[in-house]
Amino acid sequence: MKASLMNPSRPSPQEQQALSEKLEQANRQLMQSEKLAAIGQLAAGVAHEINNPVGYVYSNLQSLEAYLNDLFRLTEAVDSAQSLDDLRLIKHNIDYDYLREDLKDLLAESREGIERVKVIISAMKDFSHIEEDEFKPADLHRGIETTLNVVNNELKYKAEVIRDFGELPEIECIISQVNQVVMNLLVNAAHAIEDYGRITVRTRSTGHQVAIEVEDTGTGISREHLNRIFDPFFTTKPIGKGTGLGLSLSFSIVEKHNGRIEADSQPGQGTCFRVTLPVRQPEKNSHE
Ligand SMILES: Nc1ncnc2c1ncn2[C@@H]1O[C@H](COP(=O)(O)OP(=O)(O)O)[C@@H](O)[C@H]1O
Ligand SMILES: [Mg+2]
């Protein structure tokens, strides 16, 4: 105590311990808030994607109900009709031929809509293990497809997405967290594109390692910013659009996976982020 009063620039071991605990706690809070931001983004995207198919399936059900009422009218008339001509008249009045064709279309369209919703829900499930902490062999391409589905809404008006996939082995990872890294890179790429551009997602394997690249034709990153993009809270985006936490969170996820994340950028032309991950984790992680 006394020593630290005399020399305030050198904290005692206890003070150091307290400081580092505080730092750790602040770091955990940061991670938590970025997770929440990611979940919010996810929820908004999913709501948007589901809204459209659910809307037309709902309206198709209303048409189907009206068609069924017409068809019931026709079948019930079998008992009360005096002649076949009466039946033919009803059949003509309900525009039977059109109804028959449209029924088929409505059912096919509704099935397609529900299938789209099912895909989104299964993508959500892959993402929802966000608290999961277990390293397991996982298919990265499946994770990337899931992630593309989830951020589709952010990407589709900004860029054509090109998949340049190599052959990949399953890799030992926490897939929900790797998905989160890919999501951050994709959303950043879309943000960097002013009008309409291209985002290339590339995967390669060297046997012991795999690389995922997300390359965009956006504004690029200036040399002095390039050193700071992985710092927590570093953002060039207006308040409300950027938290400055995406890349710092991605960095810690990749670090935890014993991998590397790096960026290469040509201002005015675009940026390429590359994540390199080991196929197998050292003993400690794989048994965590
Ligand atoms: N693909 C990219 N193209 C250009 N700049 C980028 C790209 N990705 C990240 N950046 C820069 O890095 C900063 C930090 O990114 P990030 O940590 O995800 O935070 P945020 O997206 O909330 O700003 C961004 O504000 C932006 O300036
Ligand atoms: Mg970001």
Side-chain angles (χ1 to χ4, degrees), residues 184 188 237 246:
N184 286 330
N188 280 345
K237 296 171 192 173

Side-chain angles (χ1 to χ4, degrees), residues 53-288:
V54 166
Y56 65 72
V57 170
Y58 182 79
S59 103
N60 287 357
L61 280 176
Q62 286 176 322
S63 311
L64 285 172
E65 189 181 15
Y67 288 171
L68 269 180
N69 283 338
D70 285 346
L71 287 176
F72 284 143
R73 204 143 58 83
L74 183 63
T75 42
E76 274 150 23
V78 170
D79 293 331
S80 56
Q82 305 292 320
S83 67
L84 265 183
D85 278 343
D86 287 356
L87 282 178
R88 286 196 186 102
L89 183 65
I90 296 176
K91 191 175 166 199
H92 174 79
N93 284 344
I94 65 175
D95 209 348
Y96 183 82
D97 291 333
Y98 172 78
L99 181 155
R100 210 187 138 130
E101 276 311 301
D102 203 38
L103 247 173
K104 260 198 279 179
D105 293 347
L106 287 182
L107 283 175
E109 191 188 65
S110 302
R111 178 169 302 127
E112 202 185 291
I114 294 293
E115 258 149 29
R116 173 92 195 114
V117 172
K118 272 176 72 182
V119 168
I120 295 163
I121 287 173
S122 96
M124 277 295 277
K125 280 198 192 138
D126 281 0
F127 253 88
S128 60
H129 307 293
I130 216 151
E131 298 295 333
E132 197 172 288
D133 228 1
E134 206 187 330
F135 282 82
K136 277 194 278 212
D139 176 352
L140 273 188
H141 288 149
R142 183 186 148 99
I144 292 171
E145 287 301 342
T146 294
T147 311
L148 282 169
N149 246 306
V150 167
V151 293
N152 181 35
N153 185 37
E154 302 249 0
L155 305 188
K156 65 184 168 198
Y157 304 113
K158 295 305 282 291
E160 177 194 4
V161 175
I162 294 167
R163 294 164 176 77
D164 174 7
F165 288 176
E167 288 268 331
L168 291 192
E170 289 205 324
I171 75 153
E172 225 171 304
C173 65
I174 304 171
I175 190 69
S176 58
Q177 296 190 356
V178 176
N179 287 348
Q180 210 181 342
V181 173
V182 175
M183 175 163 94
N184 286 330
L185 299 182
L186 288 170
V187 171
N188 280 345
H191 283 168
I193 292 169
E194 265 158 9
D195 296 318
Y196 191 81
R198 210 169 52 237
I199 297 174
T200 307
V201 185
R202 196 173 294 114
T203 62
R204 290 292 183 268
S205 164
T206 60
H208 296 297
Q209 285 189 328
V210 300
I212 311 168
E213 285 181 3
V214 176
E215 189 176 25
D216 65 62
T217 57
T219 52
I221 307 171
S222 69
R223 194 181 273 272
E224 68 262 35
H225 284 170
L226 207 50
N227 296 323
R228 302 174 57 199
I229 52 174
F230 295 106
D231 294 350
F233 298 117
F234 175 78
T235 181
T236 54
K237 296 171 192 173
I239 298 171
K241 184 125 197 203
T243 59
L245 291 173
L247 286 178
S248 82
L249 178 69
S250 301
F251 190 91
S252 40
I253 290 175
V254 172
E255 201 174 40
K256 181 168 164 184
H257 281 76
N258 297 297
R260 280 196 322 275
I261 179 167
E262 56 222 336
D264 189 11
S265 188
Q266 306 291 330
Q269 287 180 37
T271 304
C272 182
F273 277 86
R274 166 190 276 246
V275 176
T276 315
L277 298 171
V279 173
R280 293 262 156 276
Q281 290 293 323
E283 282 292 296
K284 191 183 145 284
N285 266 353
S286 57
H287 293 137
E288 229 172 30

